[in-house]
């Protein structure tokens, strides 16, 4: 599966897409990582070390997997998992938290090595994968335009520049929209870089401590949420864009990386969905086989973020929220449209696909598991109910 790569495949659009992917990843959930680390009792220095390990882990895996498969494989931390940790870790010691990370990551590694997760994903129709991706990304598309209400000048100028560039310079539409947003935000004085410094946060080894209560009460739910709400959508994103990679090696390598980094606070490394989708658009390169360089660029930016630890998160949060929401939505417009098209293209799977889309987009959380999993589950159940009777009728008709 390995093949040669060329620096000629690296375009300016790919670099910008990689930057936007990392920008969206950090600004959308870095604060949750801070809260999760604080809930575990980590110090400010240790939190910086956590972010360093996460950045380095995501950078190495994004670059390595993308170059090996020549496919835009972007990795990420588990945002749903981090959100669960925020509410579950208070009262747990830092050593127990590290034990939870190692236990859950070990289960994920086991799923990758045994191929169990790959077999489950193999039976999910592509229409449902596309519908789930569309549901995940819907709020990002909506946020691009709800930002008009909070900052019309900023969001409006970005949308206008995007549309004009889409007509004249389609491959640079996102780049120019981002530039316009930075200019307007600068003129408005909304880029708060005052007092921000970039410093290296040295990782600190923490000896894990395993307790039955933390493993059952936190470790197992963390494993389920990470697999269902992060890895499953990540694999579905690749599948929805026509990239059919062997699932088990992806899960195995990311889990193995997280297992090595867990004692230093690298609580998880997963297959990305939202940020990966940013690196798969047609504006990056007309040839899908050459879009992998966007993920490589994202990996390089992850490495930079990892070197500077927690400080880089502060820099990203210095940008106005309206700018982040607008650029993320504009960067994902093509992906959202393509996902909806693939989801609804097959008339026989349309009912199951629309149910998957609606449940996922609803944002509902049941039993601590996010809407992406339940959307997929609802779609699969609908698909089975509507398709199995049809087969039975065909058999009956054949016998008559």
């Amino acid at each position: 599966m390995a093949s040669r790569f060329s620096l000629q495949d690296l375009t300016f659009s790919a670099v910008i897409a990689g930057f936007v992917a990392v920008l969206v990843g950090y600004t959308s959930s870095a604060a949750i990582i801070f809260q999760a680390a604080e809930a575990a009792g980590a110090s400010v220095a240790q939190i910086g070390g956590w972010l360093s390990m996460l950045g380095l882990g995501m950078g190495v895996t994004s670059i390595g997997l993308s170059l090996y498969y020549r496919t835009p494989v972007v990795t990420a931390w588990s945002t749903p998992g981090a959100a669960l940790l925020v509410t579950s870790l208070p009262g747990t010691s830092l050593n127990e938290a590290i034990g939870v990370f190692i236990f859950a990551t070990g289960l994920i590694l086991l799923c990758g090595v045994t191929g169990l997760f790959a077999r489950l994903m193999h039976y999910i129709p592509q229409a449902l994968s596309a519908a789930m991706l569309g549901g995940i990304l819907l709020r990002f598309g909506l946020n691009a335009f709800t930002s008009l209400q909070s900052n019309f000048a900023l969001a409006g100028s970005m949308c206008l520049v995007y549309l004009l560039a889409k007509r004249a310079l389609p491959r640079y539409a996102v780049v120019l929209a981002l530039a316009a947003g930075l200019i307007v935000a600068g003129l408005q004085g909304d880029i708060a870089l005052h007092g921000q410094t970039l410093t290296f946060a040295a990782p600190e080894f923490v000896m894990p401590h395993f307790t039955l209560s933390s493993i059952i009460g936190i470790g197992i739910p963390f494993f389920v949420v990470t697999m269902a709400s992060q890895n499953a959508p990540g694999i579905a994103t690749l599948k929805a864009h026509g990239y059919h990679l062997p699932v088990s090696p992806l899960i195995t390598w990311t889990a193995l990386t997280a297992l090595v980094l867990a004692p230093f606070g690298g609580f998880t490394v997963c297959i990305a969905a939202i940020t990966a989708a940013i690196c798969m658009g047609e504006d990056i390169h007309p040839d899908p086989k050459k879009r992998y360089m966007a993920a490589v660029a994202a990996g390089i930016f992850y490495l930079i973020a990892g070197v500077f630890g927690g400080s880089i998160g502060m820099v990203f949060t210095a940008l106005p929220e309206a700018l982040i929401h607008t650029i993320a939505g504009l960067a994902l417009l093509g992906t959202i449209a393509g996902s909806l098209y693939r989801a609804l293209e097959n008339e026989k799977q349309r009912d199951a696909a629309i149910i998957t889309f609606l449940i996922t987009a609803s944002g509902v959380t049941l039993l601590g598991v996010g809407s992406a999993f339940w959307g997929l589950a609802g779609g699969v159940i609908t698909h089975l109910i509507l398709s199995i009777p049809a087969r039975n009728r065909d058999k009956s008709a054949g016998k008559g």
Side-chain angles (χ1 to χ4, degrees), residues 9-161:
D9 295 338
L10 182 63
T11 63
F12 186 59
S13 296
V15 173
I16 293 299
F19 174 76
V20 171
V22 175
L23 176 68
V24 170
Y26 270 80
T27 53
S28 62
S29 57
I32 300 176
I33 307 301
F34 275 101
Q35 294 175 54
E38 286 179 339
S43 65
V44 174
Q46 287 172 327
I47 294 173
W50 282 33
L51 285 166
S52 289
M53 288 296 95
L54 289 167
L56 294 175
M58 295 184 298
V60 170
T61 49
S62 293
I63 294 171
L65 293 172
S66 297
L67 289 180
Y68 183 79
Y69 290 109
R70 283 198 68 170
T71 298
V73 181
V74 180
T75 58
W77 55 54
S78 172
T79 300
L84 181 145
L85 293 176
V86 171
T87 58
S88 302
L89 286 180
T92 302
S93 70
L94 186 58
N95 303 84
E96 285 180 299
I98 298 299
V100 166
F101 302 160
I102 293 175
F103 171 78
T105 303
L107 288 181
I108 295 172
L109 180 61
L110 185 63
C111 285
V113 172
T114 59
L116 176 62
F117 186 66
R119 288 195 291 273
L120 291 175
M121 291 299 296
H122 180 71
Y123 292 105
I124 298 173
Q126 186 167 335
L128 303 192
S129 298
M132 180 175 69
L133 177 60
I136 293 170
L137 301 181
L138 178 63
R139 68 181 179 90
F140 288 87
L142 294 175
N143 285 342
F145 301 102
T146 55
S147 296
L148 291 166
Q149 183 174 333
S150 60
N151 194 330
F152 181 80
L154 176 62
S157 63
M158 291 177 71
C159 291
L160 179 60
V161 169

Side-chain angles (χ1 to χ4, degrees), residues 118 130 195 312 318 326 336 345:
I312 200 73
T326 305
I336 295 171
E345 184 181 18

Side-chain angles (χ1 to χ4, degrees), residues 211-285:
T211 63
L212 187 61
S213 59
S214 63
I215 285 175
I216 295 176
I218 306 175
I220 292 177
F222 180 67
F223 159 73
V224 173
V225 167
T226 297
M227 291 300 286
S229 301
Q230 187 66 55
N231 276 326
I235 297 300
T237 299
L238 286 165
K239 188 177 177 181
H241 284 84
Y243 298 112
H244 299 280
L245 299 182
V247 175
S248 291
L250 297 182
I251 299 299
T252 299
W253 279 111
T254 51
L256 188 60
T257 302
L259 194 62
V260 172
L261 300 179
F264 301 93
F267 66 94
T268 182
V269 178
C270 306
I271 307 301
I274 296 165
T275 50
I278 295 174
C279 296
M280 297 178 184
E282 292 183 3
D283 56 320
I284 295 167
H285 201 288

Side-chain angles (χ1 to χ4, degrees), residues 331-356:
L332 290 167
L333 279 181
T335 300
I336 295 171
S339 297
L340 293 177
Y341 175 79
R342 286 186 290 271
L344 303 176
E345 184 181 18
N346 188 333
E347 186 175 352
K348 293 181 179 179
Q349 298 177 354
R350 195 168 291 168
D351 288 334
I354 197 65
I355 286 175
T356 299

